[in-house]
Structure formats: structure tokens, C-alpha cells
Amino acid sequence: MDAAGGQRGRDGSSQRRSALDVIMNQIRKKRLASDRKPLGRFLNRYSERSGIPEDGEERRQETPESECDAGWGRVCAFLQRLGKETNTGSLSLAHCDLTATDLLELATLLQFLPQLQELDISWNQLIGGCLQGLTSHLQHVGGMRALRLCSCRLSTDDITALGEALSCVPLLEILDLSWNGGIGGVALQGLLGKLHPTLTELHLVACQLTAADATALGGVVSSLPRLCVLDVSCNAQLSQEVDSGSFFQLAASLRHAFALTVLRLQACSLTPDGLGALGSSLDRLSSLRELDLSCNKTLSGGLHQLTPHLAHLTHLESLDLHVCCLTHSDLEALIGVLPSLMSLMELNLSSNKEVGGGVRPLVSVLPLTQMRHLPLNSCHLSQESLAALALAMPHLHVVDVSWSKVVGGHLALLLDPLQLSVILELRLSSCDITADDLCHLAAVSRRGRLSSLRVLDLSFNGSAGDEGWAALFAAGGLGSLEDIDVSLRPSTCAPCSAWLPTLLCALPRLLVLRRLGMQRWTVSPQERRQLDQCLRERSVLLELDETWEGAEERCPEE
């Protein structure tokens, strides 16, 4: 009886389910093609209540989403394998040792990154010759604004492929192809002709550009009304054949780049004639804020061809002329125009020997209250030069007088004028610093004058003595310090046991320290363990030569 009842119960349940199936089947059979969508909406509402989905409807609704999730999962897995964080708007894969296979995989993932605006795959030299695998998928990221391909060993075929793909990224604003030697020529010239008017930055550093490339670049600049940054540094052949019109055409085209704010021509073998051609365009570049002409030794003696035009750059904030072999006449021409540069905040004249004798007249015409950066390292400074530089010290954020032996014993001239919480970097490498100098530096630090200091370079000053190092580290007042270097000269070494305990006590107070340079100081195994223990959880880069551990008796002091 019970068995029969149970059987009837099971049969009854089966019959009820069968009846429901019959009703649903009848409804589906009566559906017409014309009213499929309305009935589909009805069945969706029914399915939400009953839990019974319509055949095929769930697949049509969820498949795109599931595919998107799977694609994003592939992106995350790819980036995780490379040790990078996921970001839908910006993708940086620089220094990742990408291979051609990685590049192809990245290309297939672009379809899942439609919001990508910045792509940086610089410094991956194994992808050279394979860029077409990536450029053929750029249509998936049509809104991209920045593309950086520095030092990827790009070939002419790569540049050709990139030029053909530029039409897929019409909003591109930043293009950086720097450090790809040998890409100059027909391919690059073709690419330049396809740049969009939206471009604001063009970087072609160290690309072995030729005079013909200068001509092509000159023909393009005038068609880029929004160009703000042009960097063609480290292209020694760029300014050759000035008389033939190559660099002259580039220089002349700059007068139409009204939006240009940054112009970098470092190490381009500029000549006095090249400066003259450039100067005629500077009259129109009233918006220029940074001009870098450094490392052009061939312009020596010809600065007077440029300086009259500099007076028109009323908004110029930074002028870089380091390593230009400036002569006395060059300095006179520069000093004559400096009063007109009322917005100037940075002037780099380092590594110009003649500058040492002209610091006083130079400082006298600078807008000292707004000067922030005036490096004079390797300038043959004199004691009189230091006294003149002291006038600018209360305002400078960066002070660099490295490789100036006269600083030793006279550091107080530069330190006493310092104001509270102004200086950010102090570089005194190879200055024959004495123990008294370090004690004076310690006293200034105790008074809070170095409370904002981030970088302190005291390297190659082994003559300072243990007393000086101990006094500096015991002083305190360096709470903002991020980088300190006390390394000794190469081929020398000395024990640091006398002042290391003081340094160990000071390290907990240096909360933001990221680098500690102690190369060629010798430490015992126990001292090394103490250093490691103190820095272990601080993510501080300790530069200490392993070969010098315990080598006190093998190397003479500096």
C-alpha cells in the first residue's frame, strides 16, 4: 500500500511536471516570427519567476559579457606574469624584456582594452622587427593618446608599419621613438607626413637623424598647430649642411609652431650659423619655456648670434648651456641678455671652465628671488665665485658645485645664507670637503636649514675624516632625505667603524630614505649584518661593494 502510494506520488509529480512542459511547449509552438521579441520579453519575466530559461535566450544575453570577462582575465594574467598592475586607461610595459611572442599576445589583448589611452613598451629591445604584429591591432584602441616605443631596436619596416597604422589612432598626442638608432631615412620621413594635427609632443632622441630628416621634419612642424614639445636631442648629423637648407628649413619652420613650450636640441652639433638660423625663429616663439642647447661644443664663440633673439622669450623659465665650451665673449653676450629673461628660474652653465671667472657679473643680473636651479659644477670656481654664488643661495632649490676643490675649507660661504626649508638638493661631490666643513654642515642641519633636503651627495670626499661623518649623522634635521651618497673614490677604501654606529642610530629617523651610497667603505661581517637588519624592512637601496667587506688591511685610505 505504501509502496503503491509512493509510486502514485512519484507518478503524480511526474505528471504535474509533464503538464507544465506541455503548456510551455504549446506556447513556444504558437510563437510567430513577428512577435518573437515581445513573447521573448514575456518568457524572460516568466523565467525570472519560475527559474526556467527560454531556449537560447540566456546564451544570447550572457555570452558577450562572459567573453569580455574572459578577455579581461587574459589581460590580468598577462600583466601579472610581467609583474605589472592592471589599468584600463594606461599600460606601461617598459623594461619587461618583452619578446616577439609577448608582443603578439599583447596585440591580441588590445581588443579588450577599448579605453586604453597610454601605451608604453619602451626599452624592450627584443621586439625590434616585429612591430607590425602590434600595429595591425591598433584599431581596437582608437582613443589612444600616448605611444612610447623608446629603445626597442625598431627597424625601417617597423617605422613603415607604424606609419601605416597612425590612421587608426587619430587622437594621438604623444609619440616617443627615442633611442632607436638608425630609423632615420625614407621610412621616418613617410611617418612624419602622416602625423595628425592633434600631436602635442614628438620625441626623436638619438635616432641618427640626418640632414634629409631635418628637411622632412621642417616640412611637418608647420602642420602641427598643437605641438608643445619637440625633442630631437643627440642627433649629431641633424644640423649639418646648414647652407644647403636642411637644418635651416627646420629652424625656419619653428616660427610657425606658436604653441611650442619645450625645444631640446642637445648634442646636435650646432654651429654659430645654426644658432643664427634658430635665432630668427625664436622671435616668434613667445610661449617657449624651456630651451636646451647643451652639449653642443661646436657653438663655442658663436652665442652672440642667438642672444639678441633670446630677449623675445619673455616666458623662458629654463635655459641649458652646459658642456658648450662657452668662451669669455659667449658669457658677455649671455650676461647682456639675462636682464630681459625675467621669468628665468633655471640656468645650467655647468662644465664650462670660463664660467668660474664670471659668476659675480652673472649673479648680478639674474632674477635671484625666483632662481631655483643654478648648477656650477666643473666650472673652475674660485673663492670669489663662491662668495658671489652665496647671494643666490637663499633662493635656490638645487645647489651643485661638485668637482670644485675650492669648496673644501670654504663650505660655510654657501651654507650660512641658507634659509629654512628651501634647498632640496645639495651636491658636493669631489670638493675636498674637510671635517670642519662637515661639522658646519651638521650645525646648519641642527638649525633646521636642511629640513626639506631630499638629495645629499658627498661622494668622493674621503678627506673629511671620521669626526666629520660622525658629527653629520648625529646632527639630525634630515627628516626629508631620500638619497645620500658618501661613497669613496674608485680604487680607494677606508673603514667606517668609527662613525657607523652613529649612522645606525640616525637611520630610524630618516623615514623616507630610499638610497644609501657607501661604495668602497669597508665593513666587517657583523657591521654588514647590522646595516641589513636596520634597512631590511625599509626598501632602502644600499650600495656597498661586497668585495670591500673586511678589506681594511688590503686597501689604503683615500
Side-chain angles (χ1 to χ4, degrees):
M1 183 70 179
D2 293 339
Q7 182 66 35
R8 285 194 300 270
R10 287 192 293 272
D11 293 341
S13 176
S14 175
Q15 291 173 357
R16 285 193 297 273
R17 286 198 299 271
S18 298
L20 179 60
D21 290 341
V22 170
I23 295 173
M24 294 300 298
N25 287 334
Q26 289 177 348
I27 293 176
R28 292 191 180 104
K29 289 178 181 179
K30 292 179 180 179
R31 291 173 58 185
L32 299 175
S34 59
D35 62 357
R36 186 176 183 87
K37 183 178 294 185
L39 190 54
R41 289 195 296 269
F42 165 76
L43 291 176
N44 284 341
R45 291 194 296 269
Y46 180 84
S47 299
E48 291 175 359
R49 294 191 299 269
S50 64
I52 301 176
E54 181 188 3
D55 294 343
E57 195 73 20
E58 183 178 7
R59 184 181 296 113
R60 286 194 299 271
Q61 290 184 356
E62 295 185 5
T63 296
E65 183 178 353
S66 61
E67 288 181 355
C68 183
D69 292 341
W72 179 244
R74 288 176 55 197
V75 172
C76 295
F78 177 74
L79 296 177
Q80 185 177 11
R81 176 163 55 85
L82 297 174
K84 298 292 183 177
E85 296 182 355
T86 55
N87 188 330
T88 58
S90 177
L91 189 58
S92 176
L93 299 176
H95 300 280
C96 284
D97 293 328
L98 295 181
T99 64
T101 303
D102 295 327
L103 190 67
L104 291 175
E105 183 177 358
L106 172 63
T108 62
L109 297 177
L110 291 183
Q111 59 181 313
F112 306 113
L113 296 168
Q115 299 179 356
L116 188 66
Q117 294 191 359
E118 298 183 12
L119 177 60
D120 185 356
I121 53 176
S122 301
W123 307 100
N124 289 288
Q125 299 189 356
L126 298 178
I127 66 175
C130 306
L131 194 63
Q132 186 175 7
L134 177 70
T135 57
S136 60
H137 291 76
L138 289 184
Q139 70 273 12
H140 298 297
V141 287
M144 188 163 57
R145 304 298 179 94
L147 178 60
R148 296 180 173 88
L149 296 163
C150 304
S151 189
C152 291
R153 290 189 178 179
L154 299 183
S155 64
T156 54
D157 291 339
D158 292 328
I159 298 301
T160 300
L162 178 59
E164 294 173 350
L166 284 180
S167 59
C168 299
V169 283
L171 302 180
L172 192 67
E173 297 177 355
I174 300 174
L175 179 61
D176 194 343
L177 302 175
S178 300
W179 305 103
N180 286 289
I183 66 172
V186 177
L188 179 62
Q189 295 162 23
L191 178 143
L192 293 175
K194 298 177 181 178
L195 294 176
H196 299 293
T198 57
L199 199 71
T200 60
E201 295 186 20
L202 179 60
H203 303 264
L204 296 170
V205 180
C207 289
Q208 295 184 6
L209 302 184
T210 64
D213 295 324
T215 302
L217 187 57
V220 170
V221 168
S222 58
S223 63
L224 301 175
R226 297 178 57 188
L227 188 66
C228 296
V229 179
L230 177 61
D231 190 350
V232 290
S233 299
C234 303
N235 288 288
Q237 302 179 49
L238 192 66
S239 60
Q240 294 181 358
E241 305 175 16
V242 175
D243 296 336
S244 67
S246 55
F247 183 76
F248 180 81
Q249 183 173 348
L250 172 59
S253 69
L254 294 177
R255 69 181 62 185
H256 303 292
F258 301 112
L260 199 65
T261 58
V262 177
L263 176 60
R264 301 189 183 115
L265 294 166
Q266 181 188 81
C268 286
S269 298
L270 294 180
T271 63
D273 290 338
L275 289 182
L278 179 63
S280 61
S281 292
L282 292 183
D283 298 344
R284 305 286 188 90
L285 301 181
S286 58
S287 61
L288 197 67
R289 284 172 168 75
E290 178 185 336
L291 178 60
D292 186 354
L293 303 175
S294 61
C295 301
N296 284 289
K297 296 181 179 181
T298 49
L299 63 76
S300 177
L303 196 60
H304 65 279
Q305 297 203 40
L306 179 71
T307 49
H309 305 281
L310 290 179
H312 298 278
L313 304 181
T314 55
H315 296 291
L316 191 68
E317 299 175 356
S318 175
L319 177 61
D320 195 341
L321 291 167
H322 80 271
V323 195
C324 284
C325 293
L326 298 181
T327 64
H328 182 70
S329 61
D330 290 330
L331 289 177
E332 288 183 339
L334 179 62
I335 290 172
V337 74
L338 284 178
S340 302
L341 305 180
M342 297 307 297
S343 299
L344 196 66
M345 294 189 291
E346 300 182 6
L347 176 61
N348 191 345
L349 299 176
S350 58
S351 299
N352 286 290
K353 296 180 180 180
E354 292 294 330
V355 171
V359 175
R360 184 170 294 279
L362 182 71
V363 170
S364 66
V365 296
L366 286 173
L368 293 182
T369 57
Q370 63 191 39
M371 288 301 295
R372 299 295 178 259
H373 192 188
L374 184 62
L376 294 172
N377 53 294
S378 302
C379 284
H380 281 202
L381 300 179
S382 62
Q383 188 172 345
E384 181 183 358
S385 302
L386 294 182
L389 180 59
L391 299 176
M393 289 296 292
H395 313 287
L396 296 179
H397 290 176
V398 178
V399 176
D400 188 351
V401 290
S402 298
W403 305 95
S404 301
K405 305 301 182 184
V406 69
V407 176
H410 302 97
L411 186 58
L413 290 174
L414 300 179
L415 296 180
D416 288 343
L418 290 178
Q419 298 297 311
L420 183 67
S421 301
V422 173
I423 189 169
L424 303 178
E425 295 185 18
L426 179 58
R427 299 185 182 275
L428 303 168
S429 178
S430 190
C431 286
D432 280 353
I433 298 295
T434 65
D436 289 341
D437 290 328
L438 285 186
C439 289
H440 201 92
L441 183 62
V444 170
S445 182
R446 280 194 297 271
R447 293 198 297 269
R449 296 296 188 267
L450 305 179
S451 58
S452 297
L453 194 67
R454 298 174 185 173
V455 178
L456 178 58
D457 185 357
L458 297 170
S459 60
F460 301 175
N461 286 293
S463 58
D466 296 336
E467 178 185 353
W469 297 117
L472 175 63
F473 293 126
L478 297 173
S480 299
L481 199 63
E482 299 175 4
D483 187 311
I484 181 171
D485 196 337
V486 297
S487 300
L488 299 178
R489 294 179 182 276
S491 303
T492 62
C493 67
C496 60
S497 301
W499 52 266
L500 185 60
T502 308
L503 173 62
L504 292 173
C505 292
L507 285 176
R509 299 194 298 271
L510 304 179
L511 299 179
V512 294
L513 188 67
R514 292 296 175 263
R515 175 180 173 269
L516 173 59
M518 294 181 58
Q519 290 178 316
R520 289 169 291 281
W521 285 103
T522 60
V523 296
S524 66
Q526 180 180 0
E527 291 170 338
R528 179 56 191 260
R529 286 194 295 271
Q530 291 176 324
L531 271 172
D532 290 339
Q533 183 178 1
C534 188
L535 302 175
R536 182 176 300 144
E537 299 180 357
R538 297 275 305 279
S539 299
V540 177
L541 174 62
L542 174 62
E543 295 184 357
L544 179 64
D545 299 319
E546 300 292 340
T547 55
W548 297 119
E549 293 186 22
E552 293 88 345
E553 299 180 358
R554 291 184 287 141
C555 186
E557 294 186 14
E558 185 175 346

